[in-house]
Amino acid sequence: NRFEYSTLTLFVNKCKEAQEVAYNKNQSISVSALKEIVGTYNACSLSDDTQFAENVITIANASDEFIEIAINVGYSFLNSDFDNVSPGVSNSYGTVVIGAQVYMNTNILNKRLGFVASVDYSLPKKFNSFSNNIIVNTKTAYLSALIGTRYTFNNINETFSPYLGFNGGFIFNSSSVTAQRNIVGSPILNYDTTNELNFNFCAGTYIFFGKQKLDFNILYQPEIDLGLEYSDSLRSQISFYTMSGFQLKVSYVF
């Protein structure tokens, strides 16, 4: 701890096991890491030929920055709260999601930082409520357009590469919401929905089967307010409902 930070160059060319340890510690080599490398080297059956760790070969043979395209299918578990339309009314439901993604793979942070653009459409789901003497009819459907970043732990396993990510963009709300008091002659309020800025978090893993690649993803959607607007020749009304939940999906990467 008395030394300034600096760059340490370490050559290990006749012991694959020691080279694996050195490679996995390359971001921050401490005294304990050096002892582990030396101990592994001393216990190694040295080869007369220069050896290269598998992950070093993988990185060396990897292509430069490139773009991949994927199609995906998933399932969303959502919670909608219509308390501002009819007090205490909410709905929890699941719906199928389909979409596509574009991956922008970079060489940043040893090929660990990448970017992804995605478009997902959740299929419509109906919900009706008759609480509080208010008839509420809804048909919720969303188109989500997001751009995100992912940090991939690509030095853990040859088959699995887990990652953490953050996304931001828009929710284009194509839902329909109507409300009417359960009184003869009461007007029907047909609300127009609004599009909203959105962000969410995700985690997952890439799975490699030979030259094939799958992306398993779990996405968490924090609660977001989705606007409702109604107007006619006599009055106008602005309200909102909230939506939150999480999504499971798998993507096939071309």
Side-chain angles (χ1 to χ4, degrees):
N1 294 329
R2 293 176 295 176
F3 296 94
E4 297 293 334
Y5 287 105
S6 62
T7 299
L8 173 66
T9 302
L10 180 66
F11 295 94
V12 181
N13 63 4
K14 295 184 180 297
C15 176
K16 183 182 292 187
E17 292 83 0
Q19 192 177 118
E20 293 277 3
V21 175
Y23 179 85
N24 291 333
K25 303 289 185 179
N26 73 84
Q27 295 297 316
S28 178
I29 298 182
S30 62
V31 173
S32 61
L34 282 174
K35 289 181 179 179
E36 183 180 356
I37 296 168
V38 171
T40 303
Y41 184 86
N42 288 339
C44 189
S45 178
L46 299 180
S47 169
D48 292 333
D49 300 320
T50 299
Q51 298 187 8
F52 295 96
E54 295 297 334
N55 44 21
V56 175
I57 296 174
T58 299
I59 294 297
N61 290 332
S63 56
D64 292 332
E65 298 182 357
F66 62 99
I67 291 177
E68 294 175 305
I69 299 174
I71 56 174
N72 57 262
V73 62
Y75 201 81
S76 286
F77 301 87
L78 300 177
N79 301 305
S80 297
D81 188 339
F82 299 93
D83 189 69
N84 283 274
V85 178
S86 181
V89 173
S90 62
N91 181 36
S92 297
Y93 66 97
T95 185
V96 174
V97 176
I98 55 176
Q101 298 181 155
V102 177
Y103 301 88
M104 290 151 278
N105 301 284
T106 74
N107 293 325
I108 302 174
L109 297 179
N110 198 20
K111 302 182 184 293
R112 295 181 182 181
L113 187 66
F115 302 92
V116 60
S118 64
V119 176
D120 289 320
Y121 178 67
S122 61
L123 300 185
K125 200 75 171 182
K126 293 182 178 180
F127 168 69
N128 302 316
S129 169
F130 303 95
S131 301
N132 308 308
N133 288 320
I134 300 175
I135 303 171
V136 177
N137 296 312
T138 71
K139 183 179 180 181
T140 52
Y142 309 102
L143 178 69
S144 176
L146 301 170
I147 296 177
T149 182
R150 292 179 177 181
Y151 182 85
T152 304
F153 302 90
N154 55 21
N155 63 336
I156 295 178
N157 188 283
E158 292 182 5
T159 303
F160 298 93
S161 294
Y163 61 81
L164 298 174
F166 173 83
N167 307 294
F170 284 92
I171 285 185
F172 298 95
N173 191 354
S174 58
S175 304
S176 63
V177 178
T178 65
Q180 181 185 24
R181 290 197 171 276
N182 193 16
I183 300 174
V184 176
S186 295
I188 299 176
L189 304 182
N190 291 301
Y191 289 100
D192 294 324
T193 55
T194 62
N195 304 322
E196 304 291 344
L197 288 170
N198 184 40
F199 71 91
N200 51 50
F201 306 92
C202 69
T205 184
Y206 300 109
I207 301 180
F208 299 90
F209 300 95
K211 295 183 179 180
Q212 306 301 313
K213 180 179 178 181
L214 296 179
D215 177 7
F216 284 90
N217 180 272
I218 301 175
L219 182 146
Y220 169 65
Q221 174 61 60
E223 187 174 280
I224 179 175
D225 294 341
L226 298 171
L228 298 172
E229 298 177 352
Y230 170 79
S231 63
D232 59 22
S233 58
L234 298 177
R235 61 172 174 168
S236 63
Q237 182 175 328
I238 296 177
S239 186
F240 69 92
Y241 70 98
T242 64
M243 185 268 287
S244 62
F246 66 96
Q247 179 189 100
L248 303 175
K249 71 178 179 180
V250 58
S251 304
Y252 177 76
V253 184
F254 294 95

